[in-house]
Amino acid sequence: MDRSQLFRELVAIVGEENAFTDPTALMAYECDALSIYKSRPGIVLLPGSAEEVAAIVKLCARAGAPIVPRGAGTGLSGGALPVEGGVLIVFTRMSRILEVDLPNRRAVVEPGVVNLHLTQHVSPRGYHYAPDPSSQMACSIGGNAAENSGGPHCLKYGVTTNHILGLEVVLPSGEVAWLGGRTEEAPGYDLRGYFIGSEGTLGVITKVAVRLLPNPEEVKTMLGIFSTLRDACQTVSDIIAAGIIPAALEMIDQPTVRAVEKVFRAGYPEDAAGVLLIELDGLPSSIAPLEEKIRALCAKNRAREFRLARDADERVRLWMGRKKAFGAYGAVAAGFYCLDGVVPRSKIADVLEEIDRIGGRHGLRIANVFHAGDGNLHPIILFDDRIPEETERAVACGSEILKLCVRVGGALSGEHGIGVEKLPEMPVQFSRETLEVMRALRAAFDPAGIMNPGKVIPTPGVCLEIGRALRVPEGMWH
Amino acid sequence: MPGEAEGIAERIARALGDEDLLARGDLGPYAVDGRAPLAVARPRTTEETCRLLALAGELGLAVLPRGAGTKQHLGYPPSRPALVLSTERLGGIIEHLREDFILTAGAGVALRAANEFLAPHGQFLALDPPYGERATLGGIVACQSSGPRRLRYGLPRDQVLSMRVALADGRENTYGARVVKNVTGYDLNKLFCGSFGTLGVITELTFRLYPRPAAEGAVVARFGNGGAAQEAILKVMASPLAPDYLELLNGPRAEVVGVAGGGSAFCLAAAFGDFAEGLEEQLARCGRIARECGAGEAEVLRGEEARDFSSRLSGRWPPAGGGEGGLHLRASLLIAQCGEMAREAEAFAGELGLECALQARAGSGVLHVEFRGGGLDPLRRAYGRLSEFVASRGGNLFVEGAPDPLREELPLWGEGSLGPVQGRLMREVKARLDPRGILNPGRFFGRI
């Protein structure tokens, strides 16, 4: 089957108004939130149902055509980077909340449902969906499942894989199956757990059964303002060591605060070296003693100031400052590259200093905003992405930082995934034997290698350079 | 042939250069399905475990991994004679990152020993499976064992951060890392949790730890009927309270655990761990909910008393031997279905002339039911009735203990609800990790 026939048949599945092949439309999909790498698909499809998705996959399987699934395109590792000339399936139209069952604390949604919309839907009845990535105003539940997304409240409540009961998936063969489902315990191997975080390489998600939680009775948000990052980091350690697990524990450094205040005026102090955003939730009598302890620990670590948000508006403003930090960097640099590594919490202060040195060696400024409670760092390299040489320097700098994370006992990715971005560093994290097993299991799901090729683990014959499209070898297309 | 297997085991020990590899003397304690094994190998290191598996595979010997043997009664009998691979020498605390609340230990370390090590640091491994005083970390994770506190702290899959495994062909793999948040590559930790030793032998594990709560307490309430208890369950689960566990027990089970029943049909027990002020409020509000739903005056336990009660709850049930003639089932349903299933189970136990003991992880929708006191036929019918009920509610039913003839007849691992596509995928996974099928052959779902 040649490409034009394949595309004709694909258009017939979703309808002409839901398929794009003209270059202007395709350009909108040539990258996700990792804009360093761009690659133009051959066709973009917006299916409206699981049946259409299954038909698309079956057809592509017959044609040997590579498929890349895309939620909202907010991914930061290039997980939704299209294969040049390949098929991109986008879930914008599959955005219905299908079932809400509050007594059993569960809901079933289509993959395109926006994360925050789900919480907003059940919030009037006193429930929420816990995993809250910073992009939650835009990102999709399906994308969250594919990446095993995190977010600030994962410190206390766990990450996406702890909040998904089941997935309906279309396998690369075109077969449809539920992995997990209604209840907590399913027979056999935990394929649901294995699929979550597999970044679209094992199949396409068409429904997600999620856990919901009752809302906490009270929420307290506070700021600790410090003159050194090390004091802020020590406070984090002391809080955890005191047996307190806050709902969130986020760190923002000075360059980030300056960018945030320029754009959003969230109320952060611009001359502090480090700002700790701490949130507690629970019963008022459970929280009150914790607030006191935290206040004391901030003071012990020479906090210049300690603030408690006075009302819901102030809380929202403080969180907006944190969650929109990435967006604020545009005010201080032409481009930025957001990294994602995770290190043992006790090593954060040392690692931040080393990151600073690495930045210096590459002649680049680095800002930091991160989940201090679980050691998930987000060093943001500021550079001018209109200058190719600077982009290359940023990527090289990023690679060094990722290797540093592994060296100190951490991992390459805390929540953004591997995508294309961290492929070269995978052999630093895993032995050859472990990568072989991962490759073999991937082949068990996808023998023809059509699902999101070139992502997660290095594939022979598929590679990517800055400024070049993601291509797969000729033989993959019949 | 016994003699042949012994010869092979001796050859392996010589090839590995480990004189102490094989257990000597009475191998009865290592029995699987009432049969003493042909030989028992006890490797000391991951590397030795890898070489042992590679050799066993080449020589055509099947292998049954074993921790403390507290769950050896689960599953179908092994499909062929095998060597037991015991993790008893894969011990030791390997690394305790105290500030980071992370522990790495050998698979053969007992949960009790790990928590004794952690106690002076005010930390603990939040797992409370049956036989926790003997069960090993590797076994608990391989069998996804859990207890009442899974409600607050989750299952082993939610607490394992990293593991080192020896694969059937002798390769070594390491998954995850010693950090609490990690999405690097594929999540093989999840695949191995609950894989019952059929995908590889776990030799080392890394867990996240939790702070010991400052104060602990429990509320025990008695209800006249299952409907009232169910109402209380739903109210607690819809409230902002954060119980460690929420257990529903029927009369016979409550008596065994030591709750003074006195004619009450069902008992609800909830435990909380918090700082002192928060604990008192949670205990009070939980008691109030129970009373609003018609319970009598709730008993409130604190500190040592509460801890004792909690360990009696998770203690030794289901029995490690499989139950001496009883039928022990585990059902996975929804929270709102627990009370109904409890009533059904008691009702047809009555009809069939059987005794029925029942304890549910009410907040997780998981029920344990034990029928006894009848011959094979009443037990068979009890299974049939419960199986129909669970299937009609979209749940899953597993058999944890049964008299031998029933173990041959019944789908022990809930295979009834396993679709053909899922089954095929699982067999593909098994085929790639254990192509010769030497690990626990025939024992897991579908006799894989």
Side-chain angles (χ1 to χ4, degrees), chain A residues 426-440 457, chain B residues 171-174:
Chain A
M426 284 291 271
V428 175
Q429 180 92 60
F430 295 112
S431 68
R432 192 183 41 85
E433 293 183 329
T434 300
L435 288 174
E436 269 169 18
V437 168
M438 290 187 179
R439 216 171 265 120
I457 46 180
Chain B
R171 281 182 296 172
E172 181 194 321
N173 274 199
T174 299

Side-chain angles (χ1 to χ4, degrees), chain A residues 95-314:
Chain A
S95 57
R96 291 176 301 164
I97 295 173
L98 299 172
E99 197 188 319
V100 174
D101 177 5
L102 298 179
N104 289 307
R105 293 189 172 188
R106 48 186 289 282
V108 181
V109 303
E110 288 187 319
V113 168
V114 171
N115 178 296
L116 188 59
H117 291 180
L118 174 57
T119 286
Q120 287 168 341
H121 186 83
V122 295
S123 158
R125 290 162 68 188
Y127 284 77
H128 69 285
Y129 175 66
D132 61 338
S134 297
S135 54
Q136 68 177 156
M137 287 159 275
C139 65
S140 68
I141 298 287
N144 291 164
E147 298 287 343
N148 193 10
S149 304
H153 285 81
C154 292
L155 173 62
K156 181 172 176 184
Y157 291 104
V159 293
T160 297
T161 195
N162 308 114
H163 294 271
I164 291 188
L165 290 164
L167 299 169
E168 180 190 74
V169 304
V170 176
L171 295 167
S173 58
E175 291 164 298
V176 182
W178 269 95
L179 306 178
R182 282 170 61 76
T183 68
E184 289 209 7
E185 298 187 8
Y189 299 133
D190 188 4
L191 294 185
R192 164 195 57 162
Y194 192 64
F195 202 99
I196 295 167
S198 60
E199 307 190 28
T201 60
L202 303 182
V204 181
I205 297 168
T206 49
K207 287 188 186 66
V208 189
V210 301
R211 280 186 207 278
L212 299 173
L213 293 179
N215 294 340
E217 202 159 75
E218 185 173 45
V219 179
K220 277 198 173 156
T221 309
M222 40 206 112
L223 276 193
I225 293 148
F226 295 87
S227 305
T228 72
L229 271 179
R230 201 166 272 279
D231 283 344
C233 290
Q234 188 57 49
T235 308
V236 170
S237 290
D238 289 350
I239 290 172
I240 305 290
I244 299 171
I245 302 179
L249 199 45
E250 302 283 295
M251 184 96 76
I252 308 157
D253 73 357
Q254 192 168 32
T256 305
V257 168
R258 291 220 167 114
V260 165
E261 286 310 296
K262 207 164 175 161
V263 181
F264 296 113
R265 271 182 271 285
Y268 289 112
E270 292 193 43
D271 57 348
V275 173
L276 205 52
L277 179 64
I278 307 154
E279 186 157 286
L280 293 169
D281 68 21
L283 303 186
S285 60
S286 295
I287 299 184
L290 302 188
E291 183 202 326
E292 279 319 300
K293 287 184 174 34
I294 289 173
R295 192 188 288 263
L297 289 171
C298 287
K300 171 174 165 259
N301 288 293
R302 293 176 288 263
R304 253 183 33 197
E305 199 189 328
F306 181 87
R307 279 189 219 164
L308 181 62
R310 283 156 304 189
D311 52 36
D313 282 340
E314 200 179 338

Side-chain angles (χ1 to χ4, degrees), chain A residues 101 103-106 127 147-148 150-151 155 159 161-162 171 175 177-179 182-194 197-199 201-202 214-215 217 237 240 242-243 245 283 285-286 289-290 293 342-346 371 374 376 409-418 426 429-430 433-434 436-438 440-445 456-457, chain B residues 97 99-101 146 150 155 157-158 167 171-188 190-191 193-195 198-199 208 210-211 234 236-241 274-275 277-278 281-282 285 330 332-337 363-364 366 393-396 398 413-415 417-418 421-422 424-426 428-430 432-433 444-445 448:
Chain A
D101 177 5
N104 289 307
R105 293 189 172 188
R106 48 186 289 282
Y127 284 77
E147 298 287 343
N148 193 10
L155 173 62
V159 293
T161 195
N162 308 114
L171 295 167
E175 291 164 298
W178 269 95
L179 306 178
R182 282 170 61 76
T183 68
E184 289 209 7
E185 298 187 8
Y189 299 133
D190 188 4
L191 294 185
R192 164 195 57 162
Y194 192 64
S198 60
E199 307 190 28
T201 60
L202 303 182
N215 294 340
E217 202 159 75
S237 290
I240 305 290
I245 302 179
L283 303 186
S285 60
S286 295
L290 302 188
K293 287 184 174 34
V342 59
V343 302
R345 199 189 296 117
S346 53
H371 314 289
D374 46 39
N376 187 192
L412 299 175
S413 181
E415 57 187 7
H416 295 170
I418 303 303
M426 284 291 271
Q429 180 92 60
F430 295 112
E433 293 183 329
T434 300
E436 269 169 18
V437 168
M438 290 187 179
L441 291 178
R442 181 171 176 168
F445 282 78
V456 186
I457 46 180
Chain B
L97 298 173
E99 260 189 77
D100 297 295
F101 279 69
S146 65
R150 64 185 277 171
L155 295 170
R157 72 190 293 278
D158 302 305
L167 297 177
R171 281 182 296 172
E172 181 194 321
N173 274 199
T174 299
Y175 311 127
R178 299 179 188 183
V179 283
V180 296
K181 205 167 162 196
N182 188 0
V183 297
T184 309
Y186 297 97
D187 197 345
L188 272 126
K190 296 288 183 299
L191 207 52
C193 288
S195 62
T198 57
L199 297 180
R208 70 176 295 173
Y210 286 88
L234 289 173
V236 170
M237 291 304 287
S239 76
L241 300 182
D274 200 345
F275 290 88
E277 302 88 331
E281 182 175 350
Q282 296 207 70
R285 285 169 70 163
R330 186 177 88 252
S332 177
L333 292 167
L334 299 178
I335 298 167
Q337 294 167 333
S364 310
V366 173
R393 302 297 188 280
N396 295 298
F398 307 91
W413 297 101
E415 289 96 321
S417 46
L418 194 60
V421 176
Q422 294 89 334
R424 196 204 74 224
L425 264 180
M426 292 179 191
E428 295 276 357
V429 165
K430 165 74 170 176
R432 277 164 179 74
L433 287 171
F444 200 27
F445 70 92
I448 199 170

Side-chain angles (χ1 to χ4, degrees), chain B residues 46-136:
Chain B
T46 302
E47 200 225 14
E48 195 174 26
T49 310
C50 288
R51 290 166 63 209
L52 168 63
L53 287 172
L55 282 172
E58 278 168 35
L59 298 173
L61 199 56
V63 174
L64 312 182
R66 173 201 165 89
T70 59
K71 288 163 291 280
Q72 283 289 23
H73 60 282
L74 296 177
Y76 307 105
S79 60
R80 54 191 217 268
L83 168 77
V84 163
L85 192 161
S86 165
T87 61
E88 65 199 64
R89 291 201 292 165
L90 291 168
I93 303 292
I94 294 165
E95 186 179 47
H96 178 213
L97 298 173
R98 192 181 53 81
E99 260 189 77
D100 297 295
F101 279 69
I102 291 173
L103 180 77
T104 302
V109 171
L111 174 64
R112 192 205 73 248
N115 273 331
E116 276 167 10
F117 169 83
L118 293 168
H121 301 280
Q123 303 179 346
F124 77 117
L125 246 172
L127 296 167
D128 58 346
Y131 289 90
E133 78 277 9
R134 280 201 289 132
T136 62

